[in-house]
């Protein structure tokens, strides 16, 4: 992977629907050459999928939290099943450190936050961080 591939990836990360024409102007290659580079990155697994950036606030989810959980009593499998069934969880990662998992949840107001955290207490000890804004 060279500097040109990195520039292409950065542009696709910012806008996955950017035109080949626009990318080609920035990286000084023809659109077919850009297409071929993108295809190669897909073929080797560098590009896994194209996705969208959802504005959860526009959908009424005005409360966003990051929750860390330290699993107790070896309930890892039970927790993974529980968290995979939660529609408002954006992501969940298994991590190394003071906690076992970290995940992001969207809520429509404050009311559902406490009952959700209460449910989590069965699986382990939690630490909740309310998100004020996104910086990057």
């Amino acid at each position: 992977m060279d500097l040109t591939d990195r520039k292409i990836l950065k542009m696709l990360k910012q806008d996955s629907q950017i035109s080949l024409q626009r990318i080609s102007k920035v990286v000084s290659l023809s659109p077919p050459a850009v297409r071929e580079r993108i295809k190669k990155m897909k073929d080797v697994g560098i590009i896994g999928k194209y996705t969208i950036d959802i504005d959860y606030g526009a959908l009424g989810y005005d409360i966003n939290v990051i929750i860390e959980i330290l699993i107790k009593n070896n309930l890892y499998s039970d927790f993974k099943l529980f968290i995979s069934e939660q529609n408002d969880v954006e992501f969940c990662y298994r991590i190394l450190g003071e906690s076992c998992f970290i995940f992001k949840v969207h809520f429509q107001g404050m009311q559902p936050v406490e009952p959700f955290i209460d449910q989590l207490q069965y699986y382990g000890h939690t630490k909740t961080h309310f998100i004020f804004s996104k910086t990057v």
Side-chain angles (χ1 to χ4, degrees):
M1 214 170 113
D2 62 9
L3 183 59
T4 301
D5 287 338
R6 292 183 193 283
K7 285 181 184 177
I8 292 170
L9 281 176
K10 184 176 182 180
M11 294 178 77
L12 287 171
K13 186 176 179 184
Q14 291 172 348
D15 179 2
S16 64
Q17 292 186 327
I18 191 170
S19 70
L20 294 175
Q21 191 76 13
R22 179 132 184 221
I23 295 171
S24 69
K25 287 179 182 175
V26 172
V27 298
S28 301
L29 292 173
S30 68
V34 170
R35 183 183 311 108
E36 184 59 30
R37 283 177 176 256
I38 292 171
K39 182 184 179 316
K40 284 181 183 176
M41 287 188 277
K42 286 180 185 177
D43 291 345
V44 298
I46 294 171
I47 297 174
K49 63 181 178 178
Y50 294 95
T51 186
I52 58 173
D53 184 17
I54 299 170
D55 181 350
Y56 287 94
L59 295 172
Y61 292 88
D62 54 341
I63 305 293
N64 301 292
V65 298
I66 300 286
I67 300 176
E68 299 176 50
I69 187 166
L70 174 62
I71 300 298
K72 63 183 179 184
N73 300 326
N74 205 21
L75 293 171
Y76 294 95
S77 296
D78 295 339
F79 173 75
K80 287 184 199 179
L81 178 62
F82 168 79
I83 207 70
S84 69
E85 294 172 343
Q86 305 307 306
N87 294 327
D88 298 330
V89 173
E90 182 176 340
F91 63 77
C92 180
Y93 295 106
R94 176 76 192 268
I95 60 172
L96 178 65
E98 292 181 22
S99 299
C100 301
F101 294 90
I102 189 166
F103 54 98
K104 183 177 181 182
V105 190
H106 305 283
F107 295 100
Q108 292 181 317
M110 283 295 293
Q111 181 120 20
V113 177
E114 186 176 1
F116 182 79
I117 292 173
D118 288 346
Q119 284 183 293
L120 292 172
Q121 299 312 303
Y122 170 76
Y123 302 100
H125 305 286
T126 60
K127 187 187 298 185
T128 303
H129 310 273
F130 284 80
I131 298 171
F132 292 133
S133 62
K134 183 177 179 180
T135 56
V136 178

